[in-house]
Amino acid sequence: MNNQPAIRSVAIVGAGLVGWTAAATLASALKAQGVKVLVVDDPVEEPGPAIEVGRFGMRRMHDIIGLDERHLLATTHGAFTLGVEWTGCRGETFIHPFGDHGISPNPIRFEQGFIKRRRADQSEAFSDYFLAAQAAKAGKFAFLDPNPRSILSTLNPGMHLNTERYRQYLQAFAQRLGVEYLTASIDTIVMGSHGFIERLALSDGSSVAVDFYIDCTGAHSRLLGKALKVPFQSWSQWLPSKRIATLKRPAASAPMPLTRCRAHPWGWHRVAQAQFATGHEWVYDPGRINLEQLLDRLGDGPSADTHQVADVAINAGRREVFWQNNCLALGMAGGCVDPIALSNLHWAHSALILFLDCWPDRDCLPCVRQEFNRLCGETLERLRDFQQVHAILLQPNESQAQVPESLSRRLELFRHRGRLLPYENDVVPAGAWEALLLSAGILPEQYEPGVDIVPEHELVSQHRKIKQAIQRALEKMPSHAQVLASYCPPLRN
């Protein structure tokens, strides 16, 4: 029999996308335990994209919550994406596909065979062997086929979701599960004994006292940072402070199943399309360009005014810990990286899943918190490294001289042997790292010796068959627009 006092109530402070994601997740996952969840609508300055680009762990999070993704896409007017088209400062372009390469030849890893052939033929492009990349360029789409012998089994599409509609969808879903929503903001955070939060005094004179608190107040970090005084560790030596500006405009054309990101000397510009909207996101250095100059560069419709743009400062870094006593910080309340390669929502998803695995008693034992903080910190640091490697690849004259040791080790390993080992709790799988580096044209010093057991003519034949299978699949695939019209036609309300 467990004699430890169980957590029966949780308050989430901050009603942005991260806050309602947490509310829907906890309400669904802990429903059988009878845990009461409430959301306090404290004003949140939570910069995020106008169109959220969902990858990797988003589908797992939706499964945990119990979302019907078809209904989600129809309600949020979402679309699919099969990869990211990256353009560097010098104009070089490549696609980082969402999925796997074509049917793998045996007995060697495809990546290693590609490295050998790339040395002999510089015209070879890694993305040529990904159905996802070729379909994205052609504006076509198909769903993953669970049959591993099908070329469609290599697809792992992401999503473009209208961020505000996505937040509203999660809020409605959470409230149907019984989540209570308080619109009063916080006046005072009252501390109890042993450094635990005792209650929240609200602006309407009421108060909230629960067993556990989740801080989703953005970079203000009102609970973890200010009330519990957990220090912030800056990563400015690797990712200098910048601003993030977001703008949503009516779509000028049918959405392509492709996210587009371009590097500039002053920062980054990302474009993602949903069914009726196009989202622009800039991460920029205000010392090198201003908001008016950014908007002057838009060429996909009528001019935009600065009042239409959400523009806030971001400081890359993390709190010393993410979970202190009876308070957990999610999203920018706990840490932040430049949200171009992956938005900060992705690490919030990872932290939430890990928190459920570590679900505590009311005592919040230090050993549980310490292990969570270790794993969560490693996850965010690897997300930081994934963002910075894009700067190294695409902003060679602008990227910082300093590189985190963890990223240096990973790049050195890849340059030596063209292969990476998986890391614990990595947001980005090792295969996605390898696909990024090879797609960007990084050629390792050598390939694994076992590659030479396959005769050259056989290797060429195997690679030709992959391209032929991709071409046959493309000829049969419907357009992205046709799939959206039949699978998730937009719901107006």
Side-chain angles (χ1 to χ4, degrees):
M1 181 176 178
N2 184 8
N3 294 319
Q4 298 299 318
I7 288 177
R8 295 300 182 192
S9 54
V10 178
I12 298 165
V13 181
L17 179 57
V18 172
W20 282 112
T21 299
T25 303
L26 296 183
S28 180
L30 303 175
K31 184 177 181 179
Q33 299 182 35
V35 177
K36 177 185 177 182
V37 180
L38 61 91
V39 174
V40 179
D41 188 15
D42 201 60
V44 179
E45 189 178 67
E46 184 183 58
I51 303 295
E52 183 68 46
V53 180
R55 297 177 62 184
F56 302 122
M58 179 177 276
R59 185 159 280 115
R60 183 183 176 192
M61 178 59 67
H62 290 169
D63 288 342
I64 291 172
I65 297 173
L67 298 184
D68 179 338
E69 285 197 346
R70 187 171 187 173
H71 186 259
L72 169 68
L73 285 161
T75 305
T76 62
H77 302 170
F80 294 103
T81 176
L82 290 168
V84 181
E85 181 184 74
W86 292 96
T87 302
C89 286
R90 295 172 296 196
E92 69 277 25
T93 298
F94 65 88
I95 290 179
H96 185 194
F98 295 172
D100 204 352
H101 45 73
I103 302 168
S104 295
N106 290 315
I108 61 171
R109 294 182 76 238
F110 171 77
E111 292 84 356
Q112 295 296 313
F114 173 82
I115 293 167
K116 179 178 180 178
R117 290 208 58 220
R118 182 72 162 75
R119 289 186 171 280
D121 183 358
Q122 295 295 310
S123 67
E124 286 282 293
F126 194 60
S127 62
D128 289 346
Y129 297 93
F130 285 76
L131 176 59
Q134 302 311 307
K137 288 194 294 185
K140 294 191 172 187
F141 184 81
F143 293 102
L144 179 146
D145 187 334
N147 179 6
R149 297 182 61 83
S150 169
I151 191 72
L152 298 180
S153 68
T154 65
L155 298 174
N156 186 19
M159 291 175 286
H160 287 168
L161 300 176
N162 184 312
T163 302
E164 179 57 21
R165 283 182 169 270
Y166 185 31
R167 185 199 64 76
Q168 292 170 354
Y169 189 91
L170 289 169
Q171 177 179 347
F173 187 91
Q175 289 184 289
R176 286 197 299 272
L177 290 176
V179 173
E180 185 179 352
Y181 180 33
L182 305 180
T183 57
S185 59
I186 296 174
D187 271 351
T188 308
I189 300 168
V190 180
M191 302 301 298
S193 60
H194 309 297
F196 278 55
I197 296 175
E198 181 178 290
R199 61 185 175 89
L200 309 175
L202 304 183
S203 58
D204 62 0
S206 65
S207 65
V208 170
V210 296
D211 298 328
F212 199 89
Y213 298 84
I214 297 181
D215 187 346
C216 298
T217 61
H220 295 297
S221 193
R222 291 197 61 188
L223 278 66
L224 188 77
K226 294 184 177 177
L228 291 173
K229 304 185 187 308
V230 174
F232 182 80
Q233 298 174 343
S234 175
W235 287 340
S236 60
Q237 70 271 39
W238 302 309
L239 298 169
S241 298
K242 300 182 180 73
R243 297 189 69 83
I244 178 171
T246 59
L247 171 68
K248 183 169 65 177
R249 294 158 66 85
S253 59
M256 289 286 285
L258 190 64
T259 313
R260 290 187 168 91
C261 295
R262 187 178 187 98
H264 298 273
W266 43 261
W268 303 88
H269 180 201
R270 182 171 77 174
V271 181
Q273 291 178 288
Q275 291 195 54
F276 298 115
T278 299
H280 293 268
E281 183 176 13
W282 298 269
V283 174
Y284 70 99
D285 178 355
R288 305 185 70 169
I289 194 170
N290 59 41
L291 189 55
E292 290 81 1
Q293 291 170 321
L294 288 176
L295 296 179
D296 286 343
R297 295 168 177 263
L298 285 175
D300 65 344
S303 60
D305 297 326
T306 55
H307 73 270
Q308 298 173 280
V309 179
D311 181 41
V312 299
I314 56 170
N315 296 306
R318 51 162 291 184
R319 293 289 162 182
E320 193 173 90
V321 297
F322 310 99
W323 178 0
Q324 178 85 326
N325 298 333
N326 64 337
C327 177
L328 167 70
L330 292 175
M332 293 183 68
C336 173
V337 297
D338 289 1
I340 290 295
L342 287 172
S343 78
N344 286 289
L345 181 64
H346 287 78
W347 101 260
H349 284 168
S350 178
L352 264 172
I353 292 170
L354 181 60
F355 182 60
L356 288 174
D357 287 339
C358 298
W359 183 251
D361 296 313
R362 267 186 283 173
D363 293 339
C364 298
L365 293 176
C367 61
V368 179
R369 290 188 279 114
Q370 288 164 6
E371 184 65 1
F372 174 90
N373 286 324
R374 180 186 72 82
L375 294 172
C376 202
E378 290 177 357
T379 297
L380 187 59
E381 287 164 6
R382 289 171 190 146
L383 184 58
R384 173 203 65 199
D385 291 352
F386 189 64
Q387 171 58 33
Q388 189 165 12
V389 76
H390 289 80
I392 293 171
L393 295 172
L394 298 165
Q395 297 173 313
N397 298 323
E398 306 298 330
S399 58
Q400 298 296 301
Q402 295 188 63
V403 176
E405 182 182 352
S406 55
L407 178 55
S408 293
R409 287 197 308 269
R410 191 178 291 216
L411 292 177
E412 182 181 3
L413 180 63
F414 183 81
R415 289 188 176 112
H416 174 65
R417 64 195 296 266
R419 187 172 183 178
L420 296 173
L421 300 176
Y423 284 81
E424 185 181 23
N425 292 311
D426 204 344
V427 177
V428 183
W433 273 88
E434 292 173 353
L436 170 67
L437 296 170
L438 288 170
S439 297
I442 303 300
L443 193 61
E445 298 168 359
Q446 59 188 26
Y447 51 82
E448 294 176 347
V451 175
D452 289 330
I453 68 174
V454 179
E456 180 69 20
H457 72 275
E458 187 176 330
L459 191 62
V460 170
S461 175
Q462 289 175 341
H463 287 200
R464 184 187 303 117
K465 288 178 180 178
I466 293 175
K467 287 186 176 180
Q468 290 171 346
I470 289 173
Q471 185 57 42
R472 289 194 298 269
L474 283 175
E475 291 171 357
K476 298 177 181 178
M477 288 174 70
S479 70
H480 183 222
Q482 289 172 324
V483 172
L484 294 177
S486 61
Y487 180 75
C488 54
L491 299 175
R492 296 294 179 177
N493 296 321

